[in-house]
Amino acid sequence: MVKSDIEIAQASTMKVITEIAAKAGISADDIEQYGKYKAKITFDAIDKLQKNETGKLILVTAINPTPAGEGKSTVTIGLGDALNQLGHKTMIALREPSLGPVMGIKGGAAGGGYAQVLPMEDINLHFTGDLHAITTANNAISALLDNHIHQGNALNIDARRVIWKRVVDLNDRELRHIIAGLGSPINGVPREDGFDITVASEIMAVFCLATSIENLKERLAKIVVAYTYDRTPVTVGDLEIQGAITVLLKDALKPNLVQTIEGTPAFVHGGPFANIAHGCNSVLATTTALKAADFTVTEAGFGADLGGEKFLDIKTRELGKTPDAVVIVATVRALKMHGGVEKNGLDLENIAALQAGFANLNRHIDNIQSYGLPVVVAINEFVTDTAAEITALSELLTAKNVAFSLTQVWEKGGAGGLDLAEKIVTATEKKQDFHYLYDLESAIPEKIEAIVTKIYGGSSVSFSNKAKNQIAEFERNGWSNLPICMAKTQYSFSDNQKLLGAPEGFEIAIRELVPKLGAGFIVALTGDIMTMPGLPKKPAALNMDVDNAGNISGLF
Amino acid sequence: MVKSDIEIAQASTMKVITEIAAKAGISADDIEQYGKYKAKITFDAIDKLQKNETGKLILVTAINPTPAGEGKSTVTIGLGDALNQLGHKTMIALREPSLGPVMGIKGGAAGGGYAQVLPMEDINLHFTGDLHAITTANNAISALLDNHIHQGNALNIDARRVIWKRVVDLNDRELRHIIAGLGSPINGVPREDGFDITVASEIMAVFCLATSIENLKERLAKIVVAYTYDRTPVTVGDLEIQGAITVLLKDALKPNLVQTIEGTPAFVHGGPFANIAHGCNSVLATTTALKAADFTVTEAGFGADLGGEKFLDIKTRELGKTPDAVVIVATVRALKMHGGVEKNGLDLENIAALQAGFANLNRHIDNIQSYGLPVVVAINEFVTDTAAEITALSELLTAKNVAFSLTQVWEKGGAGGLDLAEKIVTATEKKQDFHYLYDLESAIPEKIEAIVTKIYGGSSVSFSNKAKNQIAEFERNGWSNLPICMAKTQYSFSDNQKLLGAPEGFEIAIRELVPKLGAGFIVALTGDIMTMPGLPKKPAALNMDVDNAGNISGLF
């Protein structure tokens, strides 16, 4: 019988975290342990590593996924283990899972099979408390903002124009749209409000892009939370609470160190979703890994059109470093889906569908190459893949003249990714000519059009009246020169999740823009993308249990 | 210049937590470190300690407090240090602070002066994440409950009769009363809802009363969250999510170990407020301390009418142990306030007011003695106290024939509490005759009347029509034989916070009852007591800051 991820994880023997830290050149004095197998590294540790050379950066991204995901984290972890097996000092930099999907549809998010980060239960649950700190910091701003209005409103805030929402790290559709402050004058000011999921919050983005406590505080102060009656933006700095909010985040900001099943050191830190936020782990973790290792393998959430684009056009500007090579993860199953096969047919061989669905992978390869970056495709093998399917996909990739590798990291750990690792090392040795998709100085609509037409393959962009007014307003406020963070479905290049493959000629509708001045980008909401997911009819939570000794079951 | 609490704390040298654990007979293998100075102890550690004798238990309670508090935690910590100085192996068991008051009016809650638990910043902020786990567990029940209704409502839940509220660990009046589920059918079912502060939640109570993971799960399953259209109670067990909710709480349930400035081991675990919940730290921490030390000093929140009464009538039933002696903390300032002096006159000598205000302390002494317990009064000295005032108070206590001691633990640490410690040791050697205030088998109104007339000194109880209907319903449901958890202002024996001293002839109005079957008690809401505090006009958060090295300022 095939073991589940949690069974494999629980059967693994972990090294104490001081030993893992030593591998990364970090002494026991420079970590703060959270139990025996998790630690935060101190700012001292980060400072001490700065004398090292900067290593090479591998970005792992993917085609548009199926609802179950294509194993991007799994390939990221397996590739890191494989590079270490080949004798390259390697670190992995991943995002922290959100409890919402863990309790909802997805189960865990710490890799799978023999390519996992451990302790997987802790990582998937409260871990070191970072997401809770972010939730609390976000909601403390809300409480202090509403209290300001309630206590006399010296800043003249228009309660109808509060744009700062509360958050929970759960899938809770009931809180998407609420009216708060009801019942009595002592209960605050009645107004419309709503909750996002924590990983969609600007605090999460700020947290992931901050380079120090001081930088975090500066970013927090810039966050726009509301407008006055005369439409002047009101910031966290205007409320004079950036100090308190930074206090709530100062420990969370230290990167979390854990290990893979094979003992490769991994930072798991920061976890914005890529469909509604920028989708990459923290800049502090990535820059620290680059100093601690010769190779750093990191992932960007969902497909290369979402997390990948945002990694390249948003995160690299803060990182001061662009990838040396990019892995695009694809699966035969997902390509068949892009070729028109329904869910219940994905286990059956279907060469024609695979060949049709290849269009999706093909466009992602072109996109990444358009940035001037070398690409290696990782075919993440599933037991249902047939030899004929693998051959057909190999022929297509060979014809396209792109490097590729069949990986079996779920089943074999690093040993299943050695060929991929070798091809990646070769790819990083190529001369690079990186260039951004758009200039920051372009107008907001131009930047959005660049993403839509050059990355998504759409033909045009439409803006709602609200979005048009916002663009004019943002220009007046001097916010035009920021990168764009698209909020879009992960399932399609378009804003319609049912348009699979490589659709063309579609229009993307921009419903609304949200200024995220702390993060330093403008979010563009497309179609009906939601910033608070719901739970399915049978949530994963129904299967979870724990015995009297604390052993968990039912966490995938 | 007098140093602030945070300055004294930051100037103290801490021992590594393994050394503190060793003092409590717990090996380094049986703790899970959270940094160098905090740890959770494992269930293994708890099991190993069970072979030890059960030590003596000292309960620290107080008169009705002023808004600034009378230094109960400070005396608890100083007394623990003093007992250790006298050669008695002693542990301290305290509650965890809530972030709401820390960001609001109160600043920190980890003792004061030279009687503090360390690291005070961590304890006052996220600590080991227990309150976040409780918040998340509470809100996961809400999300899963609303999802059940949204996804077809197989249990036939009446959305108008959901009694389970969401929580945040912040003072956020804006969330007291909301309408959720608005905007569209995909946003859930529109209904009235509201948020309590985390420390008022039943999860916090369950957490503090649970004796093991299994017992926690059983209690969670019993929690009533709603009623069906035909008024049948719906529980967490009916939703089949007690396993998942226990998963979210299993690490939090392990007691947190820290140290005082003098290196006395202290458990800081669980933190229900005593005005709206049962107000004592966790049963697991207290029972473990009793096995690890010869003396355990613990506190109950607010005055002896609230936290003290609930400790004796609720917690001891789960603890399997009653106190060997009780400390009642009083201050000259607060007694003058009870004698009619306004806030701006408290710094001035006023013997007559002190003598008048003594009635408050006098009634608390009588109350605790009525349980058959020995009492020692701790006069917690302030710099503004005059010699004549201390003499006057001493005469009153001598005339009452009650043991008392002038303590200076804020200024001197344990050395300022040696006399108190000696008197407490003597008190614990007296023969005891403990008896509860009421029989569990009495009817709900009788139990409430016993508390009101015998402890509060009131003359009668009135019940709203809603409360009357609830009492009848609870009887039908077989919930009558539970203890009562009163929700009442902490400032007065009555339900009117302005009635200071020892008021008589007042009536207590019971507005509503809340069944807490997981915790195993019935909450009785009096007057206008609120389960979600608000922030003041100038919240403490406005003064907080942190520098680039992570050093915090402005946390009192």
Side-chain angles (χ1 to χ4, degrees):
Chain A
M1 202 188 112
V2 179
K3 282 190 191 174
S4 71
D5 290 349
I6 191 170
E7 286 166 341
I8 293 169
Q10 288 175 343
S12 303
T13 306
M14 288 182 275
K15 297 184 175 68
V16 294
I17 198 67
T18 46
E19 202 175 316
I20 301 299
K23 282 193 190 183
I26 300 170
S27 75
D29 273 351
D30 287 335
I31 65 171
E32 292 167 0
Q33 287 191 229
Y34 283 67
K36 291 182 180 62
Y37 307 109
K38 311 180 292 276
K40 283 192 168 281
I41 65 164
T42 63
F43 293 112
D44 273 356
I46 295 172
D47 288 344
K48 288 178 191 171
L49 288 166
Q50 295 313 307
K51 65 177 192 302
N52 296 353
E53 293 287 308
T54 299
K56 288 186 171 175
L57 180 62
I58 316 298
L59 172 65
V60 179
T61 180
I63 60 171
N64 293 94
T66 63
E70 301 328 300
K72 192 156 32 62
S73 300
T74 307
V75 170
T76 304
I77 295 163
L79 175 58
D81 284 336
L83 285 163
N84 261 331
Q85 286 194 23
L86 292 178
H88 301 288
K89 188 176 174 184
T90 303
M91 279 202 74
I92 295 163
L94 298 171
R95 290 170 301 153
E96 303 183 54
S98 162
L99 261 173
V102 169
M103 303 302 279
I105 199 164
K106 200 177 171 191
Y114 289 88
Q116 292 189 58
V117 279
L118 304 176
M120 79 84 99
E121 301 98 315
D122 295 11
I123 294 169
N124 279 311
L125 295 169
H126 307 292
F127 199 23
T128 59
D130 295 346
L131 272 81
H132 294 319
I134 291 166
T135 302
T136 305
N138 184 100
N139 293 345
I141 292 175
S142 296
L144 289 158
L145 168 64
D146 278 318
N147 189 58
H148 178 94
I149 299 172
H150 171 78
Q151 301 275 9
N153 202 8
L155 288 171
N156 195 32
I157 294 168
D158 184 345
R160 302 164 305 178
R161 291 196 165 83
V162 172
I163 61 170
W164 189 252
K165 291 169 81 177
R166 289 171 167 85
V167 299
V168 282
D169 187 31
L170 291 166
N171 291 4
D172 194 349
R173 65 163 64 76
E174 186 77 12
L175 293 177
R176 280 179 191 148
H177 189 180
I178 69 170
I179 298 174
L182 295 171
S184 155
I186 61 165
N187 292 350
V189 175
R191 68 177 184 85
E192 291 187 68
D193 195 11
F195 282 67
D196 288 337
I197 190 165
T198 300
V199 287
S201 70
E202 185 170 2
I203 299 284
M204 176 58 92
V206 162
F207 176 89
C208 285
L209 295 168
T211 52
S212 66
I213 291 180
E214 202 55 43
N215 179 256
L216 175 66
K217 201 194 299 178
E218 288 163 12
R219 289 174 176 271
L220 290 170
K222 287 184 200 161
I223 291 174
V224 176
V225 292
Y227 295 86
T228 64
Y229 280 97
D230 54 7
R231 303 288 183 94
T232 308
V234 177
T235 63
V236 166
D238 293 331
L239 293 168
E240 298 175 45
I241 56 173
Q242 67 272 29
I245 306 304
T246 310
V247 163
L248 291 170
L249 293 168
K250 63 134 184 141
D251 286 318
L253 191 63
K254 301 167 191 166
N256 305 302
L257 181 68
V258 293
Q259 62 192 289
T260 69
I261 287 178
E262 298 187 11
T264 299
F267 286 131
V268 177
H269 196 225
F273 283 172
N275 53 349
I276 48 183
H278 74 288
C280 327
N281 75 304
S282 79
V283 162
L284 258 181
T286 308
T287 53
T288 305
L290 285 165
K291 290 292 183 181
D294 298 329
F295 284 86
T296 295
V297 189
T298 191
E299 63 170 343
F302 292 128
D305 54 328
L306 278 171
E309 186 272 319
K310 294 173 191 175
F311 187 97
L312 297 172
D313 288 314
I314 297 174
K315 182 172 174 178
T316 61
R317 296 186 204 257
E318 309 296 331
L319 202 57
K321 168 81 184 160
T322 57
D324 294 277
V326 177
V327 175
I328 300 178
V329 178
T331 62
V332 167
R333 292 168 63 86
L335 291 174
K336 286 190 286 194
M337 196 191 66
H338 283 294
V341 177
E342 299 286 330
K343 192 179 171 189
N344 55 13
L346 293 178
D347 289 349
L348 306 173
E349 181 175 282
N350 191 331
I351 307 285
L354 175 72
Q355 288 164 331
F358 181 75
N360 185 271
L361 172 57
N362 192 55
R363 185 177 291 170
H364 285 298
I365 296 169
D366 290 344
N367 284 344
I368 296 295
Q369 288 176 339
S370 76
Y371 284 88
L373 293 172
V375 170
V376 181
V377 173
I379 306 169
N380 187 24
E381 197 185 59
F382 274 63
V383 284
T384 50
D385 299 349
T386 69
E389 287 174 331
I390 298 290
T391 302
L393 180 52
S394 301
E395 285 168 2
L396 288 162
L397 289 162
T398 304
K400 192 166 172 70
N401 196 25
V402 65
F404 67 94
S405 177
L406 187 66
T407 62
Q408 297 157 325
V409 294
W410 196 96
E411 187 186 346
K412 300 177 184 171
L418 292 172
D419 178 66
L420 176 63
E422 284 169 359
K423 284 173 175 153
I424 271 293
V425 171
T426 304
T428 63
E429 286 158 1
K430 286 186 189 147
K431 188 173 168 299
Q432 280 204 31
D433 177 29
F434 180 84
H435 42 86
Y436 287 108
L437 177 67
Y438 52 78
D439 288 332
L440 292 183
E441 287 66 33
S442 307
I444 291 170
E446 282 176 40
K447 287 182 274 201
I448 294 173
E449 280 157 15
I451 296 168
V452 168
T453 58
K454 295 185 189 165
I455 300 295
Y456 299 168
S459 56
S460 62
V461 185
S462 70
F463 294 89
S464 69
N465 282 336
K466 179 172 189 177
K468 283 178 194 162
N469 290 336
Q470 288 178 306
I471 290 168
E473 182 189 326
F474 292 5
E475 280 173 2
R476 283 197 301 276
N477 290 339
W479 301 340
S480 292
N481 293 349
L482 296 171
I484 304 296
C485 181
M486 298 291 285
K488 180 181 77 72
T489 175
Q490 65 267 35
Y491 297 119
S492 170
F493 275 112
S494 75
D495 59 2
N496 172 359
Q497 63 173 43
K498 296 191 175 133
L499 276 186
L500 302 186
E504 288 182 347
F506 58 86
E507 180 180 272
I508 293 274
I510 304 295
R511 190 175 84 217
E512 183 180 351
L513 301 170
V514 189
K516 304 274 189 182
L517 298 200
F521 54 62
I522 305 284
V523 171
L525 293 167
T526 73
D528 54 2
I529 188 78
M530 278 191 282
T531 48
M532 169 59 90
L535 287 168
K537 186 151 189 172
K538 300 267 180 204
L542 298 186
N543 303 315
M544 293 179 191
D545 204 0
V546 54
D547 68 19
N548 204 37
N551 299 305
I552 292 175
S553 55
L555 194 70
F556 302 104
Chain B
M1 202 188 114
V2 179
K3 283 191 191 174
S4 70
D5 289 350
I6 191 170
E7 287 166 340
I8 292 169
Q10 288 174 345
S12 303
T13 306
M14 287 182 274
K15 296 184 174 68
V16 295
I17 198 66
T18 46
E19 202 176 315
I20 300 298
K23 282 192 189 184
I26 300 169
S27 75
D29 273 353
D30 287 335
I31 65 171
E32 293 168 359
Q33 287 190 229
Y34 283 66
K36 291 181 182 61
Y37 308 109
K38 310 181 292 275
K40 282 192 168 281
I41 65 164
T42 63
F43 294 113
D44 274 355
I46 295 172
D47 288 345
K48 288 178 190 170
L49 289 166
Q50 294 313 306
K51 65 178 190 303
N52 296 352
E53 292 289 307
T54 300
K56 287 185 171 174
L57 180 62
I58 314 299
L59 172 65
V60 179
T61 181
I63 60 171
N64 292 93
T66 63
E70 301 328 301
K72 191 154 35 64
S73 300
T74 307
V75 170
T76 303
I77 295 163
L79 174 59
D81 285 337
L83 285 163
N84 262 329
Q85 287 194 22
L86 292 179
H88 300 290
K89 188 175 176 186
T90 304
M91 279 201 74
I92 294 162
L94 297 172
R95 290 170 301 154
E96 304 183 54
S98 163
L99 262 172
V102 169
M103 304 301 278
I105 199 165
K106 198 176 169 189
Y114 289 88
Q116 292 190 58
V117 280
L118 304 175
M120 80 84 97
E121 301 98 316
D122 295 12
I123 294 170
N124 279 312
L125 295 168
H126 307 292
F127 198 25
T128 60
D130 295 345
L131 271 79
H132 294 318
I134 291 167
T135 301
T136 305
N138 185 100
N139 294 344
I141 292 175
S142 295
L144 289 158
L145 168 64
D146 278 319
N147 189 59
H148 178 93
I149 299 172
H150 171 79
Q151 301 276 7
N153 200 8
L155 288 172
N156 195 34
I157 293 167
D158 184 345
R160 303 164 304 178
R161 292 198 165 82
V162 172
I163 60 169
W164 189 252
K165 291 168 81 178
R166 289 170 167 85
V167 298
V168 283
D169 188 29
L170 291 166
N171 291 4
D172 194 348
R173 66 163 63 75
E174 186 77 12
L175 293 176
R176 281 179 190 149
H177 190 181
I178 70 170
I179 298 173
L182 295 171
S184 154
I186 61 166
N187 292 351
V189 175
R191 66 175 184 86
E192 292 187 68
D193 196 10
F195 282 68
D196 289 336
I197 190 163
T198 300
V199 288
S201 71
E202 186 169 0
I203 299 285
M204 176 58 92
V206 162
F207 176 90
C208 286
L209 295 169
T211 52
S212 67
I213 292 179
E214 202 56 44
N215 178 256
L216 175 66
K217 199 193 300 177
E218 288 164 11
R219 287 173 177 271
L220 290 169
K222 287 184 200 163
I223 291 174
V224 176
V225 292
Y227 295 86
T228 63
Y229 281 97
D230 54 8
R231 305 288 183 93
T232 308
V234 177
T235 65
V236 167
D238 293 330
L239 293 168
E240 298 176 42
I241 56 174
Q242 68 271 28
I245 305 305
T246 310
V247 164
L248 291 170
L249 293 169
K250 63 136 184 138
D251 286 320
L253 191 62
K254 301 168 191 164
N256 304 302
L257 181 67
V258 293
Q259 63 192 287
T260 69
I261 288 180
E262 299 187 10
T264 300
F267 287 131
V268 178
H269 195 227
F273 283 172
N275 54 348
I276 48 184
H278 73 289
C280 327
N281 75 303
S282 78
V283 163
L284 259 179
T286 308
T287 52
T288 304
L290 285 166
K291 290 293 185 179
D294 298 328
F295 283 87
T296 295
V297 188
T298 191
E299 62 169 345
F302 293 127
D305 54 328
L306 278 171
E309 186 272 318
K310 294 172 190 175
F311 187 98
L312 297 173
D313 288 315
I314 297 174
K315 183 172 174 179
T316 60
R317 295 183 205 261
E318 309 296 330
L319 203 57
K321 167 82 184 159
T322 56
D324 294 277
V326 177
V327 175
I328 300 178
V329 179
T331 63
V332 166
R333 292 168 62 86
L335 291 175
K336 285 189 286 191
M337 195 190 68
H338 283 295
V341 177
E342 298 286 331
K343 193 178 171 189
N344 54 13
L346 293 177
D347 289 350
L348 306 174
E349 182 176 282
N350 192 332
I351 308 285
L354 173 74
Q355 288 166 331
F358 181 75
N360 186 271
L361 172 56
N362 192 54
R363 185 178 291 171
H364 286 297
I365 296 169
D366 290 344
N367 285 344
I368 297 295
Q369 289 178 337
S370 76
Y371 285 87
L373 293 172
V375 170
V376 180
V377 173
I379 305 169
N380 187 25
E381 197 184 58
F382 273 63
V383 285
T384 49
D385 299 351
T386 69
E389 287 173 330
I390 298 290
T391 302
L393 180 52
S394 301
E395 284 168 3
L396 289 162
L397 289 163
T398 304
K400 193 168 172 70
N401 195 24
V402 66
F404 67 93
S405 176
L406 186 67
T407 63
Q408 298 157 326
V409 294
W410 196 97
E411 188 186 347
K412 301 178 183 171
L418 292 173
D419 177 66
L420 175 64
E422 283 169 2
K423 284 174 174 150
I424 273 291
V425 171
T426 303
T428 63
E429 288 159 0
K430 287 188 186 143
K431 188 172 169 297
Q432 281 204 29
D433 178 29
F434 180 84
H435 43 86
Y436 288 108
L437 177 67
Y438 52 77
D439 286 333
L440 292 182
E441 286 67 32
S442 308
I444 291 171
E446 281 176 41
K447 287 183 276 201
I448 295 174
E449 280 158 17
I451 296 170
V452 169
T453 57
K454 295 185 188 166
I455 300 296
Y456 299 168
S459 57
S460 62
V461 186
S462 70
F463 295 89
S464 70
N465 283 336
K466 180 171 188 179
K468 283 179 194 163
N469 290 336
Q470 288 177 306
I471 289 168
E473 184 189 327
F474 292 5
E475 279 174 3
R476 283 195 301 276
N477 290 339
W479 302 340
S480 292
N481 294 347
L482 295 171
I484 303 297
C485 181
M486 298 292 284
K488 180 182 78 70
T489 175
Q490 63 267 34
Y491 297 120
S492 169
F493 275 113
S494 76
D495 58 2
N496 172 1
Q497 63 175 44
K498 294 189 176 138
L499 276 185
L500 302 186
E504 289 181 345
F506 58 86
E507 179 181 272
I508 293 275
I510 304 295
R511 191 175 83 218
E512 187 180 349
L513 302 169
V514 189
K516 304 276 188 179
L517 298 200
F521 54 62
I522 305 286
V523 171
L525 293 167
T526 72
D528 54 2
I529 189 79
M530 278 192 283
T531 48
M532 168 61 88
L535 287 168
K537 185 150 190 174
K538 300 267 179 204
L542 299 185
N543 303 313
M544 293 179 191
D545 204 1
V546 55
D547 69 19
N548 205 35
N551 300 305
I552 292 175
S553 55
L555 195 70
F556 303 103

